[in-house]
């Protein structure tokens, strides 16, 4: 009976809040003629080609950037490892509009880099509104995925394999190739596929850093839905996108990998921290975190008069911009905190129940896993479009709707992390507890939960991060009184209030950072 309830509950939630909205899109707006016309038009074919190109290049660059970090986390020991892991997740929580704002502050025509280049070399570079800007933005966003997925696998590789290869005469490269790579290669492929999917479905980074010239399928779907109000053409691209991403998602489901949680840190059991590691950390801190630093500095710096100022911070706490935001700034911040935490709680409950079912039930596991990771194939824009399409049948209040959407979007990663941790527990442990009279709840409480707790905490933090940074679906579903921080940043940028946008972006980073510190403390206890 308990297993039946645990199985039915997440399936029912998925049917009501995921499959029903998505299905309604096809029932209401899909037609074979519009689909064929939409996917064969010259313009949309160019959008498809560019979407593949930018996602492939972005994923390759991201993997190349993240692998050294994965090695440092898994195989070495350095004083600031915990801080580095915590900071590495900051790009994942910063919304696309903040990333764009940081890049504009640095790489814009009048940004910090061009000011420096012009003062020294009397020249400027034009990086914005280009493919390079999109790739850099995606690398900034996604390199934590590589570090956390690959380092978890790398840390569990027994060093004896590499040492045996060296004893047999292999050099450092061959020892790695034969003694390490075969064991971490699945996690590298999984991380590559996951980053590719995220880049393929990217919205904010492409829209703002690339401009209309570099529109992807996701941007075009948004334009069809909101600007052209052409729901049939939008549905045609959604179907095409869903078909392509579903293939990659099914491939991703074959890999049992998970994120390294906030408290899960490799002990550096193989080598000392290498000299090149400091250069890598410096590169990450200066290039990857530079946009974040630019946002924070911009929140307290008046570039027009070149002086420190609290004017922007003062303005966003006043009622001066309530008309732009739709509500007062304090309410904006509370909306983001409440929605994100509530969605993370829902995610942890659902993903834990779903992982329990997949571990305990012998048959149909592959089907259940495919059902539970399907949201990876659906973009936030598509999911929001689904909720709009069912609004004429039943309407969900915005304060409930947004956390549910955030939970659906972050569920696959949380589920995979908890499932991988649970699957690694030896079956003998639970059997031994049952022999001594423990029931299913006691097995979970005293055997399973302590083992999966780091994965649960990491999944909670990740879900909060995704909720904090979500923009696309929020823009399509929110009402003014439920404005969130990412929407506020977008509205400030649209109205050319750059200082205020940077100030509220600074608060977003501060609030998210505080939550991760609290999460880390919870793990230590």
């Amino acid at each position: 009976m308990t297993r039946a309830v645990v199985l039915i509950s997440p399936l029912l939630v998925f049917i009501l809040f995921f499959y029903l909205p998505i299905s309604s899109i096809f029932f209401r707006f899909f037609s074979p003629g519009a689909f064929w016309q939409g996917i064969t038009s010259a313009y949309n074919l160019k959008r498809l080609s560019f979407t593949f190109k930018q996602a492939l290049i972005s994923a390759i660059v991201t993997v190349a950037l993240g692998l050294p970090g994965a090695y440092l986390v898994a195989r070495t020991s350095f004083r600031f490892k915990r801080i580095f892991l915590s900071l590495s997740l900051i790009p994942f929580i910063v919304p696309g509009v903040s990333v764009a704002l940081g890049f504009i502050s640095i790489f814009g025509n009048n940004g910090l880099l061009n000011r420096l280049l012009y003062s020294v070399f009397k020249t400027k570079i034009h990086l914005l509104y280009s493919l390079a800007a999109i790739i850099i933005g995606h690398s900034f966003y996604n390199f934590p995925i590589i570090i956390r997925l690959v380092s978890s696998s790398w840390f569990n590789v027994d060093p004896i394999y590499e040492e045996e290869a060296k004893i047999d005469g292999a050099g450092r490269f061959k020892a790695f190739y034969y003694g390490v790579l075969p064991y971490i290669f699945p996690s590298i492929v999984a991380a590559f596929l996951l980053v590719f999917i995220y880049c393929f479905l990217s919205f904010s980074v492409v829209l703002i850093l690339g401009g209309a010239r570099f529109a992807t399928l996701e941007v075009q779907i948004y334009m069809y839905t909101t600007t052209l109000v052409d729901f049939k053409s939008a549905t045609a691209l959604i179907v095409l996108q869903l078909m392509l991403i579903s293939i990659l998602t099914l491939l991703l489901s074959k890999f049992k990998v998970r994120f390294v949680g906030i408290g899960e840190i490799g002990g550096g059991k193989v080598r000392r921290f290498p000299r090149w590691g400091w250069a890598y950390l410096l590169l990450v801190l200066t290039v990857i975190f530079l946009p974040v630093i630019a946002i924070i500095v911009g929140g307290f710096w008046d570039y027009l008069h070149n002086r420190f100022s609290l004017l922007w911070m003062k303005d966003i706490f006043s009622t001066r911009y309530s008309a732009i935001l739709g509500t007062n700034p304090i309410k904006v911040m509370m909306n983001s905190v409440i929605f994100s935490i509530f969605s993370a709680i829902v995610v942890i409950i659902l993903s834990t129940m779903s992982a329990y079912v997949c571990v305990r039930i012998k048959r149909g596991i592959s089907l259940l896993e495919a059902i539970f990771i399907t949201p990876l194939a659906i973009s936030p824009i598509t999911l929001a479009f689904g909720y709009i399409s069912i609004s004429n049948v039943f309407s969900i209040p915005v304060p409930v709707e947004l956390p549910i959407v955030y939970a659906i979007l972050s569920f696959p990663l949380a589920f995979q992390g908890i499932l991988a941790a649970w699957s690694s527990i030896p079956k003998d442990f639970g059997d031994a507890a049952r022999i001594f009279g423990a029931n299913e709840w006691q097995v979970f409480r005293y055997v399973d939960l302590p083992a999966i707790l780091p994965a649960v905490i990491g999944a909670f933090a990740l879900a909060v991060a995704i909720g904090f940074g979500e923009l696309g679906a929020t823009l399509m579903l929110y009402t003014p009184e439920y404005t969130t921080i990412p929407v506020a940043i977008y509205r400030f940028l649209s109205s050319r209030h750059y200082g205020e946008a940077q100030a509220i972006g600074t608060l977003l980073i501060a609030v998210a950072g505080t939550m991760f510190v609290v999460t880390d403390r919870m793990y230590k206890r």
Side-chain angles (χ1 to χ4, degrees), residues 159-182:
I160 194 172
Y161 300 132
E162 192 173 5
E163 296 301 325
E164 287 179 349
K166 290 182 178 180
I167 292 174
D168 292 335
R172 179 175 297 181
F173 175 77
K174 283 189 175 182
F176 169 80
Y177 184 82
Y178 292 106
V180 177
L181 186 59

Side-chain angles (χ1 to χ4, degrees), residues 5-21 346-347 349-351 353-354 371-372 375 383 387 394 396 403-405 407-408 411:
V5 172
V6 175
L7 172 61
I8 292 174
S9 298
L11 286 178
L12 184 61
V13 170
F14 260 65
I15 290 172
L16 291 177
F17 298 109
F18 178 71
Y19 287 104
L20 180 60
V346 172
V347 166
I349 294 174
L350 289 179
S351 57
M353 294 172 70
S354 303
I371 291 173
F372 291 141
L383 185 59
Y387 277 81
F394 66 91
I396 305 174
I404 291 175
V405 170
I408 293 296
F411 174 86

Side-chain angles (χ1 to χ4, degrees), residues 123-170:
T123 186
K124 292 184 176 182
I125 60 172
H126 301 282
L127 187 61
L128 292 180
Y129 311 116
S130 66
L131 176 60
I134 294 174
I135 293 171
I136 294 174
H138 283 158
S139 300
F140 168 87
Y141 248 146
N142 296 307
F143 90 99
I145 295 177
I146 308 298
I147 291 178
R148 289 172 176 267
L149 278 176
V150 179
S151 64
S152 177
S153 176
W154 207 330
F155 180 69
N156 291 317
V157 177
D158 195 326
I160 194 172
Y161 300 132
E162 192 173 5
E163 296 301 325
E164 287 179 349
K166 290 182 178 180
I167 292 174
D168 292 335

Side-chain angles (χ1 to χ4, degrees), residues 52 149 185-197 242-257 366 369-371 373-374 376-377 416:
F52 262 108
L149 278 176
F185 186 72
S187 65
I188 295 175
V189 175
F192 175 87
L193 289 174
L194 188 58
V195 171
F196 183 92
I197 290 172
L242 180 59
M243 292 168 58
L244 298 172
I245 296 300
S246 295
I247 297 173
L248 297 175
T249 304
L250 288 175
L251 290 175
L252 184 62
S253 67
K254 304 299 181 181
F255 298 94
K256 310 297 183 183
V257 293
S366 297
E369 290 185 25
I371 291 173
I373 69 169
T374 301
L376 279 177
Q416 285 192 314

Side-chain angles (χ1 to χ4, degrees), residues 172-244:
R172 179 175 297 181
F173 175 77
K174 283 189 175 182
F176 169 80
Y177 184 82
Y178 292 106
V180 177
L181 186 59
Y183 302 98
I184 67 172
F185 186 72
S187 65
I188 295 175
V189 175
F192 175 87
L193 289 174
L194 188 58
V195 171
F196 183 92
I197 290 172
Y198 278 138
C199 295
F200 194 95
L201 300 177
S202 178
F203 174 70
S204 300
V205 171
V206 175
L207 179 67
I208 299 174
L209 295 182
R213 176 187 172 191
F214 295 101
T216 58
L217 289 184
E218 186 75 353
V219 173
Q220 192 60 30
I221 291 170
Y222 176 79
M223 297 300 293
Y224 276 136
T225 304
T226 60
T227 304
L228 302 176
V229 197
D230 186 352
F231 293 155
K232 289 189 175 181
S233 294
T235 301
L237 294 187
I238 286 173
V239 173
L240 175 62
Q241 184 173 262
L242 180 59
M243 292 168 58
L244 298 172

Side-chain angles (χ1 to χ4, degrees), residues 56 126 128 135 274 287 377 418 447:
L56 179 62
H126 301 282
L128 292 180
I135 293 171
V287 176
I418 295 176
V447 177

